Structures are given as structure tokens and as C-alpha cells.
């Protein structure tokens, strides 16, 4: 009898302990579920990232009436200063090229050409058409002439039109490289910023201008100052 009583007591003890563990685990699971559900509706932490607008809205070129204008989103997201400087470098160089191109269009269409002949066959410079037609088409300059133009531009690009480190250049697009000045060092900081802004705006206008001239050349007609297209 004592053996059966002991066995029954042992089984009761095991059952009570198992129920305690079960209820404890259930309570823990319920609490964990509640906490997880609350965390799901809690506001997510906001990452501290520097937006392009805040980082570059005061850069040179962000001026009225458009201010900071980035329609293609090239500076969206977490953009470094190196990325901005690279884009500004490209913008300045394209602007300078387009200023020369627009001026060349106006000058040649005004009747001013280089004297002499362009080749040994006796073809003069003014015997070739103006604008894009001088490069492409039945009356364009010879292929050897195009090769010389490309080679000359490549030589300028490699030898002069680049920023040499350690030569005292002050900003992106400064190609003085220690041997060209034209009075720049005599300007104060405010005047330097003004000159840079003028060049930047003129370059932007020239990019639109030369594109417009190329389109009108294909469409034909007459433009003020430029003349017949």
C-alpha cells in the first residue's frame, strides 16, 4: 500500500510541475507575441542621411530663378562631394566647348573665314558650308581634315585642358596650372565667385544655343543675327 501511495504522489508531483512549466511557457509566448505585435506598429527609426538638396543647394550655380535644379535626379540620395565636383567639372567643360561652337557658328555664318586653302587641292576655307554640313554631307571637309581636328582636340585635352594637382588651382575647372593668370589673382573672393557664376551661366546658355542652332539647321529657315540656315 505504501508503494502505491508513493507512486501516486510521485505522479501527482510530476503532473503539477509539468503544468507549472506549461503555463509559464505559455505566458512567456503570449508576452513575446504581444511585444512583437507592438513593435510592428512602432515608428521605424529614421536614418540620418544627407539629401542632395540640403548638401548642394548653396553651391555655385544654384541661383534664381530655378535655384537648385536637378530634373534628372543625378544628385539624389547620398551623394558625395566628389560626385558633385565631377558633374560640375563636366558641366563647365561642356559649357566652354559650346561657347566656342556657338561663336564659331555666328562668325562663319557672318562671312568671316580663315584665309587660304584648307588642303593642297586649292579648296579654300570659305568654299565649305557652315555648321554641321561642314562635317557631314556631300560638301563636307575631307576625312584627313576631320582627323586633324580630332587629333588637335585630343592634344589640347591631354596637354592643357586638365587640372594638374599641386599647381595652385583654386576650384573645379581651374586649368591655369600655375602659368596662366589674366589678372585672376587680383580679384577678391566676391568677384571671383561672380566671374565663375557668369561663366557657368554663359556655358549653360551656349549649350542650349548650339543645340538650337543644330536643330534649326536641319529644319532650315532664317534666324536673326545668324542668318540663313
Amino acid at each position: 500500500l505504501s508503494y502505491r501511495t508513493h507512486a501516486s504522489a510521485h505522479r501527482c508531483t510530476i503532473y503539477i510541475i509539468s503544468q507549472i512549466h506549461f503555463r509559464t511557457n505559455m505566458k512567456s509566448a503570449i508576452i513575446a507575441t504581444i511585444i512583437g505585435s507592438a513593435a510592428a506598429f512602432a515608428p521605424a527609426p529614421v536614418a540620418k542621411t544627407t539629401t542632395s538638396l540640403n548638401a548642394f543647394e548653396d553651391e555655385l550655380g544654384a541661383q534664381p530663378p530655378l535655384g537648385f535644379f536637378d530634373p534628372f535626379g543625378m544628385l539624389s540620395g547620398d551623394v558625395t562631394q566628389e560626385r558633385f565636383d565631377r558633374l560640375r567639372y563636366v558641366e563647365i567643360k561642356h559649357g566652354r566647348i559650346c561657347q566656342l561652337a556657338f561663336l564659331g557658328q555666328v562668325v562663319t555664318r557672318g562671312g568671316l573665314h580663315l584665309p587660304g586653302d584648307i588642303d593642297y587641292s586649292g579648296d579654300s576655307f570659305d568654299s565649305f558650308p557652315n555648321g554641321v554640313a561642314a562635317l557631314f554631307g556631300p560638301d563636307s571637309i575631307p576625312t584627313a581634315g576631320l582627323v586633324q581636328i580630332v587629333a588637335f582636340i585630343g592634344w589640347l585635352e591631354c596637354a592643357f585642358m586638365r587640372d594638374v594637382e599641386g599647381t595652385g588651382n583654386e576650384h573645379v575647372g581651374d586649368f591655369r596650372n600655375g602659368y596662366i593668370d589674366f589678372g585672376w589673382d587680383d580679384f577678391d573672393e566676391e568677384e571671383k565667385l561672380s566671374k565663375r557664376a557668369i561663366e557657368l551661366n554663359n556655358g549653360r546658355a551656349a549649350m542650349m544655343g548650339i543645340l538650337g542652332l543644330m536643330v534649326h539647321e536641319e529644319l532650315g529657315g532664317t534666324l536673326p543675327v545668324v542668318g540663313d540656315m
Side-chain angles (χ1 to χ4, degrees):
L1 179 62
S2 61
Y3 172 79
R4 291 181 179 179
T5 303
H6 179 73
S8 298
H10 181 68
R11 284 196 296 269
C12 289
T13 303
I14 294 175
Y15 174 79
I16 293 171
I17 293 174
S18 64
Q19 289 295 315
I20 293 173
H21 280 290
F22 174 78
R23 293 181 180 181
T24 302
N25 291 336
M26 284 298 295
K27 289 182 180 179
S28 300
I30 292 171
I31 293 173
T33 303
I34 293 173
I35 294 175
S37 300
F41 291 97
V46 179
K48 295 182 179 180
T49 58
T50 302
T51 62
S52 59
L53 180 61
N54 293 332
F56 305 112
E57 62 181 0
D58 294 328
E59 288 283 351
L60 183 70
Q63 51 200 26
L66 296 179
F68 182 82
F69 186 61
D70 183 23
F72 296 106
M74 302 183 72
L75 291 174
S76 61
D78 189 10
V79 180
T80 62
Q81 184 67 39
E82 289 75 14
R83 166 71 173 170
F84 177 85
D85 291 342
R86 173 59 184 171
L87 293 175
R88 173 52 53 84
Y89 177 88
V90 173
E91 180 186 21
I92 291 175
K93 180 172 286 190
H94 286 178
R96 290 170 178 172
I97 294 172
C98 290
Q99 289 179 73
L100 292 173
F102 188 88
L103 181 62
Q105 279 268 19
V106 174
V107 169
T108 54
R109 291 185 183 278
L112 183 60
H113 297 83
L114 293 175
D117 299 331
I118 196 174
D119 55 21
Y120 292 113
S121 300
D123 298 320
S124 61
F125 282 95
D126 58 2
S127 65
F128 292 93
N130 301 310
V132 179
L135 302 177
F136 308 101
D139 299 325
S140 62
I141 62 178
T143 303
L146 290 177
V147 172
Q148 293 177 46
I149 292 174
V150 173
F152 178 68
I153 294 174
W155 176 68
L156 290 177
E157 183 78 12
C158 296
F160 299 101
M161 304 303 175
R162 59 192 184 95
D163 186 356
V164 180
E165 295 184 2
T167 56
N169 296 336
E170 299 178 4
H171 53 82
V172 176
D174 187 356
F175 295 160
R176 292 178 299 156
N177 297 326
Y179 62 88
I180 299 177
D181 185 81
F182 299 118
W184 178 262
D185 291 334
D186 296 331
F187 298 148
D188 56 26
E189 292 302 321
E190 183 177 356
E191 192 169 4
K192 287 181 179 181
L193 286 175
S194 175
K195 297 292 185 182
R196 291 174 58 194
I198 291 172
E199 182 194 24
L200 197 59
N201 281 337
N202 288 347
R204 291 169 175 174
M207 285 188 274
M208 300 299 295
I210 192 62
L211 179 61
L213 287 179
M214 294 169 65
V215 171
H216 279 285
E217 184 176 348
E218 294 299 318
L219 296 177
T222 302
L223 292 177
V225 180
V226 179
D228 293 333
M229 300 299 291

